[in-house]
Amino acid sequence: MAIDPQHLLNYPIPEVRQTLTEKDTAFYALSVGVGTDPLDEKQLKFVDSARDFSALPSIAVVLGHPGFWVARDDTGIDAVRVVHGEQRIQWHKPLPVSGEVVGNTRVTGVVDKGNNALMYSDKELRDGNGDLLATAGMTTVLRGQGGFGGDSEPLHAVHTLPDSEPDISVDLPTRPEQALYYRLNGDDNPLHSNPATAEAAGYPRPILHGLCTLGVVFHALFRELVDYQEDRLKAMSLRFSSPVFPGETIRTEIWRDGSFRARVVERDVVVVNNGKLDFV
């Protein structure tokens, strides 16, 4: 059944005011696998508030998160069939480890791809003083809900990877229960926790959140390209091409210019493609 694009473009996604604690900040980093090497001082600064503590920059995707709003009855979206297609982050200021943060999310475009539809949304993340910290944009694939006769051109160009072989390859494991941890960051879509929901969506078992996969991939990029230096980051974009099942190993393949993709080692399936990290 086709959705109503104008309804979604005007949909009042509630503002989210969140009181961020140092515990929240450390938990996010742990939930994407940071700290697996307890002797790595550079990782520990993102999980141990007793030292020179910093927020892992990819936390921008969960702060001020509006929750699984697409599942509301008045959206007209078949929530069981939605897929996170693409994610973008632009960093404007260093992220706090505690304090008030405010997220304002709006739908910025809806594209008709025939059988499917693409819904674009942006979240502006601000601190309690109103200063813009980051902008997080996502593309949601609404499977089986196209055909409304709208514009078919994507709103964001996809990055083209180099023709050469990657310069760096980084393997980072996920844990069997990682989706159950990660959902406590505010994304409670049952696709990641309920076997029956996963089966209804066509998966043999619950899948890892796309944004958790992003966090694992970001960790590899953050380590290899900027040596954990937050002030060197500008923006990041990627396309999710296949789900990860909790417990699988994610291999991030990186080019020196910031291009990247990622695959699951056990199945040799590309799960993230067309990635680009912009940094100085």
Side-chain angles (χ1 to χ4, degrees):
M1 180 178 177
I3 45 86
D4 179 351
Q6 284 303 127
H7 176 62
L8 293 174
L9 287 167
N10 294 303
Y11 191 84
I13 303 171
E15 177 181 88
V16 176
R17 289 185 172 268
Q18 176 181 355
T19 300
L20 177 68
T21 69
E22 292 186 348
K23 182 178 179 179
D24 298 327
T25 300
F27 177 81
Y28 169 78
L30 290 166
S31 76
V32 298
V34 176
T36 53
D37 181 353
L39 300 181
D40 186 344
E41 294 282 344
K42 292 182 178 179
Q43 289 188 47
L44 291 175
K45 70 173 289 189
F46 301 103
V47 299
D48 183 2
S49 60
R51 60 183 66 226
D52 183 18
F53 189 42
S54 294
L56 190 72
S58 57
I59 196 176
V61 298
V62 301
L63 295 181
H65 183 63
F68 195 44
W69 66 270
V70 298
R72 295 179 179 181
D73 292 338
D74 61 347
T75 65
I77 295 173
D78 182 355
V80 174
R81 304 186 70 189
V82 303
V83 175
H84 193 162
E86 299 166 339
Q87 183 68 42
R88 298 166 294 278
I89 310 172
Q90 184 177 5
W91 293 278
H92 306 291
K93 293 185 66 176
L95 298 175
V97 297
S98 62
E100 186 179 48
V101 291
V102 182
N104 282 286
T105 303
R106 63 187 182 92
V107 175
T108 58
V110 183
V111 171
D112 188 350
K113 300 300 289 183
N115 183 49
N116 300 327
L118 302 179
M119 181 176 69
Y120 296 86
S121 59
D122 280 346
K123 177 189 70 180
E124 289 189 343
L125 181 67
R126 299 179 182 271
D127 63 18
N129 295 321
D131 292 336
L132 185 61
L133 299 171
T135 304
M138 67 182 293
T139 307
T140 305
V141 182
L142 310 181
R143 295 186 295 171
Q145 296 196 270
F148 50 84
D151 190 358
S152 62
E153 291 298 315
L155 299 188
H156 295 276
V158 176
H159 175 65
T160 301
L161 297 178
D163 291 332
S164 60
E165 288 297 309
D167 300 305
I168 306 166
S169 180
V170 179
D171 287 2
L172 294 175
T174 66
R175 296 177 58 84
E177 74 280 16
Q178 194 155 344
L180 301 177
Y181 285 122
Y182 187 85
R183 70 194 303 265
L184 300 179
N185 289 302
D187 187 343
D188 54 1
N189 183 344
L191 180 63
H192 308 293
S193 60
N194 188 324
T197 301
E199 183 179 5
Y203 300 111
R205 54 194 173 101
I207 62 175
L208 197 64
H209 301 70
L211 291 181
C212 187
T213 298
L214 177 148
V216 176
V217 171
F218 173 79
H219 182 198
L221 299 165
F222 194 34
R223 186 183 81 187
E224 297 296 329
L225 293 179
V226 299
D227 193 29
Y228 294 107
Q229 298 175 62
E230 306 100 299
D231 58 354
R232 296 183 60 192
L233 298 172
K234 296 173 63 178
M236 178 181 181
S237 63
L238 57 78
R239 170 173 284 185
F240 298 109
S241 52
S242 190
V244 175
F245 294 104
E248 294 182 320
T249 302
I250 299 174
R251 173 173 294 161
T252 304
E253 299 171 337
I254 307 168
W255 286 262
R256 294 287 183 191
D257 71 346
S259 299
F260 64 91
R261 68 181 172 226
R263 69 181 69 242
V264 162
V265 173
E266 290 82 354
R267 293 181 285 125
D268 194 28
V269 172
V270 174
V271 294
V272 166
N273 215 342
N274 306 104
K276 184 66 162 63
L277 181 72
D278 295 322
F279 61 97
V280 294

